[in-house]
Amino acid sequence: CGFHLRGQGPNSGFAFPEAYVDGNGGVAQQLRLYLPLLPNVKLVKDATTKGVAKISIAGEATNSTVLTINSSGQATEYLTSLVVTFSAWRPDGTAIMEGQQVTLSRSYSYDPNNPIAMTGESNRLVKDMQQDASQLILRRINAVATHGQDAH
Amino acid sequence: AESGQTQEDVPVSIEADHIEGQQPDNAKATGDVQITKGDEYYYADWATYNQTDQHLKAGDNVRMEHQGDVMKGHELDYFMDRKEGTMSDPDYQIAQGLGRGNAVTLLFEGDKIYHLQKSRFTTCPVDNDSWYIHANNMWLDYNTNKGEATNAWIEFKDTPILYMPYINFPLSDARQSGFLAPALALNNRNGLDLTIPYYWNIAPNMDATFYPRYFSRRGMMVGAEFRYLEPTYSGILRTDGLQDKEADMSRYDIFWKHSQALTDRLHLSLDIEKVSDDNFFNDFGDRAAVASQTNLPRQGVLSYNGDGWNTSVDWLHYQTLQSTVNPIAIPYALSPQIDFNTAPTFLDGKIQTNVQAEFTNFTHPSETNGYRTWVYPSVSVPFLTSYSFITPKIGVHATNYQLSAPDGTSEGSENRVLPIMSLDSGLVFERDLDIQGDSFTQTLEPRAYYLYIPYKDQSNLPNFDSALTDFSYSQMFSENRYTGNDRINDANQITVALTSRIFESETGIERLNATIGQRFYFQSPRVSLDTSDLPNSSKSDLLVSLGGEVIRKLNAQYEIQYNLQDHTTTYNSFNLSWRPDVAKVLNLRYIYSTYTAPYIKQIDLSGQWPISSGWYGIGHVNYSLIKSDPNRFLDTLAGVQYNAGCWGLQLAAQRYVTTDGGTSNTYYVLLQLGALGGLGTNPTSALRTAIPGYSDISGSSNK
Amino acid sequence: ATADREKPLKVEADSATYDQKANTGVYTGNVIVTQGSMTLRSDKLTVHQDADGMQYSQGDGRPVKFRQQADDGEWVDAESLHYDYNQKTGLLVLTNKAWVRKGQNEVFGDVITYNLNNDQYSATSNKTGAGRVNVTIVPKKPAASGPAAKPAPAVASDTTSEKQ
């Protein structure tokens, strides 16, 4: 059915040999953990190194709101969302993409009797979304970086 | 001042049919006089100009233009350098037509500062007299963009609707200070509810809003919200107070959120919320989400970010708003909780370690108190190729409890040490797809996650912060079915899932995502908070989820968790959201969930749609499909909005259930007057949460 | 300056005629009248002196050019196609594309009447034409000097005119 292991796929690993990740939120941390594991890219730690692709996680905003209430007016589901704003530049400094956004959300059932546990659940879901977001961001940068070059 | 020339040496040029005078000291011009000074233009039938004090007199229908401001009047007596003077019987258009009106006298009190006596003011275009502010005295200061008026009254469609001894209002769309639109409402709990918010733009980084709010049945509530933004700290402080006639008690709320960077590594954040009584939000909240608040946090967090590690100290107490219908347990307090974590990597990132540690002093008025300390070091060695990953992880979770009764008498100590081992693995297959000419990439991602945690009886351990979580894709691949750290589930299980995603090749944006997954228990779990948590078969529910941006601007999401054993559905949700255009939104959500007690089965429909030119319909229905539910309509709202360019009207009716078993029924009228009105306090904020994707059309956009 | 009045007045011209009985002199061609700081250039100039020595002169030029230093040191320049000067009233009337500038302050107009005694001027446009009067006043630092008396470009009686 045409599937092949990603190794041969159009965008595998990372589009540049070296990358620096800027940002101190959870998504940036996930990227810094994930990039060194990729076979063909090296994570650069020093911000001043030149000639290196740069990923900047400008903002990570989380928000938790009531999603559903039950017939006695109490919240039964909460929705936790994460909005990540990021930009990326090629090694020569030209922008791959700027001010892009990834929005993720997870709902969870809310037990008003144990608010501390609920905060714990919300934090766990945020960590999970941070991991997803880092993957989605990498894929978007790869796609635009590789296609961008083909397109020009 | 004009560039290059200081204000003084800008030449004054006079053109007329006839001019006489003494050069350069004075000039008297008659006959279609035009006077120009820099970017100020004056036209009159006659004018006299005295150069020593740049005193200009002009008359018989004089017209003055300066940077878009146009003043027409009978006689002008004006000192050009000081920009002070008077104009009789003026008719003015200010700031590129943002504001206009007329008056008996116009006094110029400095650059762009106009003082109008017995005047009227509007932001509607010339041919539109929908509303005016009349005032004995009105000051328009276009440097601070603030207008003020005394003995003012608002005339709307030729009928006076509101008298105010003093108001001030914004003169531009910039973050303005001034008079938000009056919000009138009729509520079954409070009677007539009139809020006249008054916004005060104190400084570029500080502003406040005052909310005098009158209830016909409860009296006058005074509210104030103060926002501050400094380089190292920012926050919001809000408080409302009322001597409640009906309930015959004083009622108040305090709400303070503050965050501050003490140093570049040390950060403080405060979140203090308190209300006077359990029913405060039921009575004064403006929407279901507010009314459903049950635990108000009083929290202080001090956090420190080291290089590669961080720690935080968290004090947290809750005020629990008791519900007579559905009583809530008093939650534990963290007095305090200190946590520490670090995630050093070795061998150039190939070996990832993680050390989490936490000490908590749990206090409770009636339940067991205790110090709980746990540490959870773990190491994982992910092997990644571009088409696969294998991540073995091993850790040890050690916990110590020092328990005591509420009165302090010791209740002994408990320990629990558990190894946690997991092996996560997955492959990624990809293929290119062409759908209607667009190129996509489809992935097929099988994943298997094996988890082993030996059983240890934890029934004698207290439960401070653990709760069973919903079975979901993210929970399937986590180490513990319980949040918190009081219960660590024993596990000898493997979770398998198959995910397929479709990405746009050009942008890499995920358009569709489908997943099917299930967990298989080699040994059935025995650790539980309450025996009903335990799965009743060797297989978990089957999870299927499907969704994405099916077509442009139409987003759909479907998820079901199905118990194959007893052929029942544990969770099922379906979301549809169509947002073809600004202010065109339709949302549908169906939710069936047994994770909540009692279970919920609801439909939620919301939308905003243009009806005819300038008119928009808004609606929201949250309907419970459970026949036995006392209130089937949980939250309904219907309304219309009209945007006439320089004014806007909102009419809405809303009914939602409250935690005291009753409902809150409100009819809203909100009038927004041009640049005058920001957003009313309600119902717009109610709409924003009720209708995801809602866009406020009655901003002050002047057609 | 006012001192110009006591200065000798010199008139040069391509040609000049003098009518003894009417006590009128007519100068034509590059007529240049100088008296102290004042110079007046025109194509044609006629000067008449009345019984008690008051002079009436008028002239045409393309344009007539008048220049004199006022008491406060600023130069007054004026131009017009035709001018009339009446020493008795002290009025200098410039007609047709008239222009006067003192320092940076200017007056344009069809007819400008300039009172040399009190520095008063009056400029009008002739209603028929599209012409307008235009005055530019450059506000300067509050001028220290008060209105100074003005000289009169009177043509002294002892004209030394070269006969053609």
Side-chain angles (χ1 to χ4, degrees), chain B residues 12 14 17-19 21 24 32, chain C residues 105 121 123-124 127 132 135 137 139:
Chain B
V12 172
I14 307 170
D17 292 346
H18 173 76
I19 304 179
D32 189 6
Chain C
N105 303 309
Y121 70 88
T124 55
K127 269 301 155 208
R132 296 268 282 160
V135 166
I137 301 174

Side-chain angles (χ1 to χ4, degrees), chain A residues 29 32-33 36-37 45, chain B residues 307-310 340-356 376-382:
Chain A
Q29 239 158 348
R32 280 192 279 268
L33 280 176
L37 302 173
K45 292 255 182 348
Chain B
D307 291 337
W309 60 276
N310 53 58
F340 165 85
N341 50 62
T342 178
T345 61
F346 302 93
L347 276 179
D348 195 13
K350 294 288 184 285
I351 297 180
Q352 296 181 350
T353 67
N354 190 315
V355 180
Q356 292 173 348
Y376 175 33
S378 68
V379 60
S380 73
V381 184

Side-chain angles (χ1 to χ4, degrees), chain A residues 1-13 29 33-34 36-39 42-43 45 65-78 97 100 106-121 124-125 127-128 132 136 139-141 143-144 146-148 151, chain B residues 288-289 292 294-295 316 318 323 325-329 331-332 334 345 348-350 352 382 384-387 427-432 441-444 463-467 469-470 474-475 478 483 501 503 505-510 571 589 591 595-596 600 602 622 629-631 634 657-659:
Chain A
C1 53
F3 277 109
H4 42 255
L5 282 175
R6 183 192 276 175
Q8 293 72 34
N11 34 31
S12 59
Q29 239 158 348
L33 280 176
Y34 182 67
L37 302 173
L38 291 177
K42 199 164 86 60
L43 178 69
K45 292 255 182 348
T65 54
V66 174
L67 182 60
T68 41
I69 56 174
N70 62 23
S71 64
S72 53
Q74 281 160 337
T76 50
E77 272 190 319
Y78 264 69
M97 48 180 47
Q100 295 292 309
R106 302 275 195 273
S107 66
Y108 58 98
S109 57
Y110 184 77
D111 169 12
N113 297 299
N114 198 337
I116 300 176
M118 292 304 115
T119 314
E121 173 67 355
R124 190 181 66 77
L125 289 173
K127 273 205 180 55
D128 183 67
D132 263 11
L136 290 172
R139 180 168 276 269
R140 283 179 61 173
I141 294 174
V144 173
T146 48
H147 276 84
Chain B
S292 64
T294 48
N295 294 303
L316 172 60
Y318 285 103
S323 148
V325 171
N326 201 346
I328 299 163
Y332 273 93
L334 308 178
T345 61
D348 195 13
K350 294 288 184 285
Q352 296 181 350
L384 258 72
T385 69
S386 54
Y387 54 85
L427 290 171
V428 180
F429 295 89
E430 286 194 3
R431 69 174 176 177
D432 291 337
T441 309
Q442 181 179 15
T443 69
L444 199 60
N463 177 19
F464 295 131
D465 65 358
S466 279
T469 59
D470 316 343
S474 71
Q475 200 276 333
S478 67
T483 62
R501 307 172 194 237
F503 295 96
S505 304
E506 290 291 323
T507 63
I509 293 177
E510 180 180 289
Y571 179 89
R589 183 167 189 265
I591 172 73
Y595 289 123
T596 64
I600 54 172
Q602 298 177 7
N622 184 190
D629 264 355
N631 300 306
L634 305 174
V657 290
T658 52
T659 56

